[in-house]
Amino acid sequence: MGRALARRMAERGDRLFLLGRDAADLEKSARDLEVRGAPAPVGSAACDLERTDTFAPALQAAEQALGGLDVVVVTAGLFATQDALEADAELARRLLVVDFANTVVFCEEARRRLLARGGGTLCVFSSVAGERGRKPVVLYGAAKAGLTRYLEGLDHKFRAAGLRTVCVKPGFVKTSMTDGLTPPPFAGEPDGVARRVLTAIDRGEPVVYVPFMWRWVMLVIRSLPRAVMRRIGF
Ligand SMILES: NC(=O)c1ccc[n+]([C@@H]2O[C@H](COP(=O)([O-])OP(=O)(O)OC[C@H]3O[C@@H](n4cnc5c(N)ncnc54)[C@H](OP(=O)(O)O)[C@@H]3O)[C@@H](O)[C@H]2O)c1
């Protein structure tokens, strides 16, 4: 989804800077974005959500290359099935650190930098998995629930100071993360998600469900009594 969103931004001529952990892949994506319309050069820097020491230098490099940050988008995340996480305590620890603790640490670094320039937009991908405690996503859902609450608090605390927080809550989207899983009804495609998220960024919408139907699905799920949740497999 991050790549699809960057492509949409490139097509309208936004200046871009990429962060990630695979230098060769970033380089390839940067050239692709230039071909699609992003002003050259599209720069990149190493940033690994498992290594907090990479956060400040990566954001610093982006600020220097772009002459300041208007929008920071965080799409990186780890997913594994609940069975895999229960069978591998180290994988579970890594997922909790990447999807919650270190994403928050990264956002705090981005928040300070955006506010130092008078504000901007922080767009972060959480998940509908954080809306209720559910059997198939006990750990992943807990991490995303924490992230969602953090973003909500950030929005309340700093919007008046100029920080616009956009919390993206994807339902099921067909990406490399969900490869091999059976798509449920209302499964989305990365490009449709990117179009909707870009509008949300431009408008500064605090919460966006993608695809749109998940807003209504989760309205129902949030209202189900615990006894019903206990019985259903959702
Ligand atoms: N797809 C869905 O149905 C769905 C549903 C709900 C929420 N989400 C959330 O949406 C976001 C985007 O997911 P996606 O579906 O687009 O998955 P994706 O294609 O697998 O993208 C996830 C990205 O996260 C990066 N990443 C993983 N660990 C990292 C680390 N330690 N440091 C830096 N980058 C790291 C991966 O980079 P590498 O290329 O280096 O591996 C990958 O590019 C995630 O936060 C995910 O939890 C997805």
Side-chain angles (χ1 to χ4, degrees), residues 1-3 19-22 25 47-51 55 74-79 94 98-99 124-129 140 144 147 168-178 181 188 190 210:
M1 285 186 267
R3 186 169 282 115
L19 306 184
R21 57 184 176 172
D22 180 338
D25 194 39
C47 187
D48 184 339
L49 275 180
E50 295 196 59
R51 290 189 42 210
F55 300 173
V74 185
T75 61
L78 262 188
F79 177 80
R94 286 180 54 218
V98 166
D99 287 352
V124 185
F125 280 56
S126 184
S127 174
V128 297
Y140 174 77
K144 292 296 192 179
L147 181 60
V168 181
K169 296 183 183 179
F172 190 105
V173 181
K174 295 176 202 159
T175 67
S176 55
M177 189 173 274
T178 52
L181 303 177
V210 281

Side-chain angles (χ1 to χ4, degrees), residues 2-204:
R3 186 169 282 115
L5 183 55
R7 285 179 175 168
R8 288 236 154 223
M9 289 172 154
E11 279 158 14
R12 66 181 198 181
D14 288 352
R15 298 183 62 217
L16 300 170
F17 193 92
L18 307 178
L19 306 184
R21 57 184 176 172
D22 180 338
D25 194 39
L26 289 177
E27 191 58 32
K28 213 167 73 190
S29 292
R31 299 298 79 79
D32 169 67
L33 293 169
E34 286 166 2
V35 170
R36 288 168 190 270
V42 173
S44 60
C47 187
D48 184 339
L49 275 180
E50 295 196 59
R51 290 189 42 210
T52 52
D53 61 315
T54 63
F55 300 173
L59 284 165
Q60 179 72 25
E63 268 187 318
Q64 253 163 20
L66 298 171
L69 304 174
D70 297 323
V71 179
V72 177
V73 181
V74 185
T75 61
L78 262 188
F79 177 80
T81 62
Q82 180 60 24
D83 285 348
L85 294 168
E86 283 174 16
D88 185 340
E90 174 56 14
L91 179 61
R93 185 197 65 77
R94 286 180 54 218
L95 181 140
L96 293 168
V97 167
V98 166
D99 287 352
F100 176 61
N102 283 2
T103 296
V104 170
V105 173
F106 179 87
C107 288
E108 286 293 283
E109 186 66 42
R111 170 186 69 75
R112 280 189 287 273
R113 289 169 188 272
L114 288 166
L115 284 169
R117 279 175 42 93
T121 303
L122 179 60
C123 172
V124 185
F125 280 56
S126 184
S127 174
V128 297
E131 304 271 287
R132 286 298 297 264
R134 297 195 294 113
K135 288 185 267 198
V137 285
V138 175
L139 291 163
Y140 174 77
K144 292 296 192 179
L147 181 60
T148 296
R149 285 295 159 265
Y150 161 73
L151 295 168
E152 184 180 0
L154 213 57
D155 183 54
H156 288 315
K157 174 137 197 223
F158 293 108
R159 185 159 285 246
L163 185 76
R164 308 198 309 173
T165 305
V166 178
C167 174
V168 181
K169 296 183 183 179
F172 190 105
V173 181
K174 295 176 202 159
T175 67
S176 55
M177 189 173 274
T178 52
D179 240 6
L181 303 177
T182 311
F186 317 126
E189 299 287 345
D191 201 45
V193 168
R195 192 173 343 111
R196 178 69 189 92
V197 171
L198 195 50
T199 303
I201 289 172
D202 290 343
R203 293 182 184 158

